[in-house]
Structure formats: C-alpha cells, structure tokens
Amino acid sequence: MNKPISTQQLSFMTFILLIGSALVYITGQAARQDAWLASLLGLVPGLYILYAIFKLHTMFPGCRISDISTQVLGRFLGTILNLIFFWAVFIFLITLLYNILILLKITYPSIPRVILYPIILLPCIYCLYQGLTVLGRLGELFIWGSLFFAIAGFFVALPLVSLSNLTPVLEAWKPILAGAVYTANWPFDEVVIWGLFLPLVSGLKENKKYVYYWYLIAGVMLIIFDFEVMAIFGPELTQLFSFPLFEVFRVAGFGEFRRVELIFLVFWFITDITAVIIFYQGILFLVQDTFKLKDYKSLILPIGLFLIVFVLYMFPSDLMFQLLNVKYASVYTFPINLLYPTIILLTAKIRGLPR
Amino acid sequence: MPILLLYFIILSVSLFFLWEWKPLISQRRWWDLTVALLFLFIGLSYGLDYALDLKMLPNPNRLFEMVKPVSKAFEKFFQVAG
C-alpha cells in the first residue's frame, strides 16, 4: 500500500504544508509592525528540525522517528515521548481542521459545524485510503496553482501598501522574540511531521536540498505576506481581524473587478486540506508505531471519528479556540516539536547508536 | 444542532464495520482490531456525550489549562499584547 513518494513530491508538500497552515494568519503579530522580522527569526528552528530529522533518517534508514525513539530511548521512555509528541501532532491537526472550518463558515455561515467537519474530513479519509502515492501526487498537482495564487496575491494587494505602517522598526526586542516563537511553532516547526514520512521517500540522500529550498520559498512568501498585511492595515487593525490576509484581498481589486478574496478562498482550502491530510497520515503512523500494528488502514475511520468529536468537544466557539489553542497550546507544542527530534538525536549520538 | 453528530457517528461506525471488520477478522489481526475499536469507542463515547449534551466525560481542555501558568509567564516576560 505504501509506495514510496519522491523527494520532489516531499519538497512540494513542504511548501503546501507551510502555506496551507499559516496563510490567512499573521503568526508573528505579537511583534506588531515587526511581524515580518519575527517570521524571519521563526524560520530558523524549522531549518534545524529538518536537519535533525534528516540526520536521524541517515543514521536509522528505513525507520520512522517514532520507531527510532523506542530504539534509542528504550520501549518505555520512547513510548512516553511518542505519546507526548502525539498530543502535539493532535493539537496541530485539530487546529488545521478548525482553520478550514472557520474559512468555510465565511461562505456557508448557516451550515452547522457538525455538518461541515465531516464534509472536510471525508475527502481526507478517501485520500488516505488511496495511499501515500496519492498524497505525493496531490503535492505535485497543487504546487504550481498554489505558487501562482501566492504570487498573484502579493501583486494584487501591492498598491495598498503604506510603508509608514511599518515604522518604527525594531521598537522592542521582547515582542519580536515572542512573535518569533509563535511563528516558529506555527507553521515552521510543523516540518517535524516529515520524521514520520522519510522512510517512504525515495531519492532523499541526493535531493534533500530541494526540501530545504521549498521550505525557504514558503518561508519567504509568508514573510512577504506578513510584511504586506502589516504595511496595509498596521498593527492595530491587523489584530482586530481573524484572517488579516483575507481582509486584504477583500479590499483589493482592479477597478470594477472586486471580491477577489473568493478566488483565493479556493487556494486556501486546497492548501489547508492538504496540510490536514499530511497530519492525519502522520497521526496514523504514530499510532501504528506506538501500538505496533501491522497496518494503519484499519485506524483511518476510527481516528476520523475521534478527530471530529474532539475538535467539536474542545473548541465549541472561536473564543475558546483563541484562548486555548492560540495562547496556551504554543507553549506546549513549540518545545515538544523542537525537543522531540533533539532528544532522540542527542541520545543516539551519546549512546553511539546505531552500533 | 449537536444531535446531528449522531448521523456522522452512525456513518463512520457503519463504514468501519463494512470495510474493516471482515479483513481484520479473516486475517486474525486481533491487536489491530482492538486498537481500532478502542479509538472508535473513545470517539463514540465523547460523540454521544457531546451530541446529547451529557457533559459526563472529562474535558480534554484540562490539558491546555495545565500550561496556562507557563503561557501567562511567557506573555508577561515577552510583553505580548492582546
């Protein structure tokens, strides 16, 4: 079932994963007008995570990071670490689901969440039943469209830019660092999920630089969008919007040609749903390795139900989501995603594994 | 409206028994079946709790609450506004 995906497909998926997760948000907005600087700093931990998981893959070829964890730390400690990581991945996945939901709520305000979640998740379930090859092809299929929309989005909103909104630069270093932590956590540290996919990727040894390239391209695009949104709305107005970039496209347009945000909604939906599929697949691998199952296929539907029920249960309102997920979850997911590969890598080095 | 969740619960449980039950039984993958049923059971329990508004099960948000002091300290130190 699990046919290998190519490094090129992995690179494309890296781009879609990052863009899909954070496009409509200004993740570094804690840094106010310096949000773009915070995003620039936030790019670095993700690069380190990519390095760590590639290194682990070189040391333990053919093993997923969750499997390496039990090999290096022992069955007991490795499983505990995997469960801690599971919760971080789970938080990311339900956050992505919630993101799509609130985007869909803009166009379908009267359809209840209970109906919208299954509509979002059923295509993901279908895609996962088709196997990893489909996921790889999804990356190839959507990459150029995503790139086109991202570049077009930048040029459409460019006439609205007012650089005075970005001053003073480097007003205070503490909010910039806070913004960098939030940005590093979401979306850049998400690449830790590739630790579960690498054994299924072909040609990684020769072409892993392309993964870094596409990671940087996505990072640069997100920095540009942060820059653009802050320059258009300024920090105060940006904080008032749930989706600042969406609002930018709402006010942008050419002459009589308006409401371009609806075109971009398709782009967001496609990239966001790909990110959901990637994390859904990741969680299946994680459960498979934790419980030592032969195949993950039998888990697709039960975990689908599990996800929908928990996202409804945990985030009954936008206020709850903003408070619990955006404010509290970051202090859990950021260190976990950073430390999970680090602990495994350091322990493997100290113990001189693999012998 | 939460009652509508029952339709999805019925759909996913039916699909699971339709697609997965037979191959798991015939291949004697008892452990795989147990884990799948465990997730299904948790989903089902929380789903019914939500749909029928029973509020009997522990809310997983308590796990978020555990990191609340760390989050507050982080925001205070880094002067995060809003």
Side-chain angles (χ1 to χ4, degrees):
Chain A
M1 188 179 171
N2 290 330
K3 290 173 189 165
I5 51 175
S6 69
T7 313
Q8 189 191 41
Q9 289 171 334
L10 184 81
S11 314
F12 292 163
M13 284 195 291
T14 307
F15 177 84
I16 294 172
L17 177 72
L18 297 181
I19 290 282
S21 310
L23 193 63
V24 281
Y25 295 106
I26 303 298
T27 45
Q29 65 177 283
R32 296 174 56 80
Q33 71 273 17
D34 294 320
W36 63 278
L37 264 174
S39 296
L40 191 66
L41 287 174
L43 202 71
V44 182
L47 280 173
Y48 160 72
I49 287 174
L50 272 181
Y51 162 79
I53 57 171
F54 283 145
K55 186 80 184 163
L56 280 169
H57 179 66
T58 316
M59 290 161 77
F60 299 86
C63 294
R64 284 197 276 268
I65 195 165
S66 47
D67 198 20
I68 302 170
S69 165
T70 49
Q71 281 183 47
V72 169
L73 297 161
R75 184 97 177 96
F76 180 70
L77 279 178
T79 306
I80 288 179
L81 199 65
N82 284 347
L83 288 174
I84 292 170
F85 181 57
F86 171 85
W87 183 242
V89 174
F90 181 73
I91 290 171
F92 274 174
L93 183 49
I94 56 171
T95 307
L96 284 166
L97 268 174
Y98 195 84
N99 284 349
I100 305 186
L101 176 99
I102 30 185
L103 266 176
L104 283 182
K105 271 277 178 192
I106 296 171
T107 38
Y108 306 108
S110 55
I111 301 180
R113 290 161 192 241
V114 179
I115 303 288
L116 284 176
Y117 279 126
I119 290 173
I120 297 164
L121 212 68
L122 285 172
C124 303
I125 289 174
Y126 174 77
C127 187
L128 291 173
Y129 265 109
Q130 299 304 308
L132 268 171
T133 321
V134 169
L135 188 57
R137 285 185 190 153
L138 211 61
E140 278 180 326
L141 189 70
F142 291 151
I143 185 71
W144 302 114
S146 308
L147 209 57
F148 168 77
F149 275 113
I151 295 168
F154 169 71
F155 284 108
V156 162
L158 201 59
L160 303 170
V161 165
S162 165
L163 290 177
S164 61
N165 283 329
L166 294 170
T167 52
V169 182
L170 284 169
E171 193 181 14
W173 65 272
K174 279 184 176 177
I176 295 178
L177 278 184
V181 169
Y182 288 131
T183 316
N185 173 57
W186 182 275
F188 295 120
D189 283 5
E190 280 183 358
V191 288
V192 73
I193 200 76
W194 293 145
L196 296 161
F197 286 76
L198 292 186
L200 301 153
V201 179
S202 60
L204 196 64
K205 202 175 173 184
E206 308 82 42
N207 299 318
K208 67 180 164 201
K209 60 176 184 277
Y210 294 112
V211 182
Y212 286 110
Y213 290 163
W214 281 96
Y215 172 88
L216 289 172
I217 292 170
V220 168
M221 289 222 156
L222 290 174
I223 292 165
I224 289 172
F225 280 124
D226 281 8
F227 184 90
E228 199 171 34
V229 171
M230 277 294 166
I232 291 169
F233 289 134
E236 281 80 20
L237 209 52
T238 306
Q239 272 195 333
L240 290 178
F241 297 128
S242 299
F243 307 117
L245 193 65
F246 188 80
E247 298 300 331
V248 164
F249 294 134
R250 189 169 273 184
V251 292
F254 325 90
E256 294 294 307
F257 189 67
R258 296 278 149 183
R259 301 303 305 267
V260 286
E261 82 275 9
L262 294 176
I263 302 169
F264 288 95
L265 203 69
V266 178
F267 162 49
W268 287 321
F269 186 76
I270 285 170
T271 50
D272 219 347
I273 211 157
T274 310
V276 169
I277 297 169
I278 291 166
F279 268 87
Y280 195 165
Q281 178 70 69
I283 234 166
L284 291 171
F285 283 147
L286 208 50
V287 175
Q288 186 191 358
D289 284 351
T290 308
F291 290 99
K292 301 281 172 207
L293 306 179
K294 285 181 187 158
D295 193 6
Y296 64 80
K297 209 180 144 192
S298 58
L299 291 170
I300 296 174
L301 278 164
I303 289 189
L305 175 66
F306 185 84
L307 283 171
I308 289 184
V309 166
F310 272 79
V311 73
L312 279 165
Y313 205 93
M314 291 166 76
F315 305 136
S317 66
D318 288 355
L319 188 71
M320 200 68 143
F321 174 76
Q322 289 294 330
L323 186 72
L324 293 175
N325 195 295
V326 179
K327 276 181 174 272
Y328 301 163
S330 312
V331 292
Y332 175 82
T333 50
F334 175 67
I336 294 303
N337 289 333
L338 203 62
L339 290 175
Y340 181 67
T342 309
I343 291 170
I344 301 169
L345 186 64
L346 281 179
T347 316
K349 290 221 174 202
I350 291 165
R351 292 184 64 192
L353 293 171
R355 292 197 179 96
Chain B
M1 283 301 175
I3 200 82
L4 291 171
L5 183 64
L6 288 177
Y7 291 113
F8 182 70
I9 292 175
I10 294 166
L11 178 74
S12 47
V13 172
S14 316
L15 286 176
F16 175 77
F17 283 104
L18 205 69
W19 287 343
E20 302 299 344
W21 184 260
K22 210 176 164 185
L24 286 173
I25 296 282
S26 61
Q27 291 166 27
R28 294 173 179 275
R29 286 162 51 198
W30 307 120
W31 182 234
D32 289 32
L33 182 65
T34 311
V35 175
L37 285 176
L38 175 77
F39 276 97
L40 210 58
F41 176 73
I42 298 171
L44 204 66
S45 312
Y46 272 92
L48 290 175
D49 194 61
Y50 177 82
L52 305 173
D53 203 21
L54 300 171
K55 293 193 174 70
M56 283 167 68
L57 296 169
N59 196 327
N61 286 342
R62 283 181 194 172
L63 292 166
F64 285 112
E65 297 283 344
M66 281 162 68
V67 292
K68 188 178 171 180
V70 187
S71 169
K72 292 275 176 203
F74 176 86
E75 286 182 355
K76 195 178 170 193
F77 180 77
F78 285 105
Q79 299 160 5
V80 180

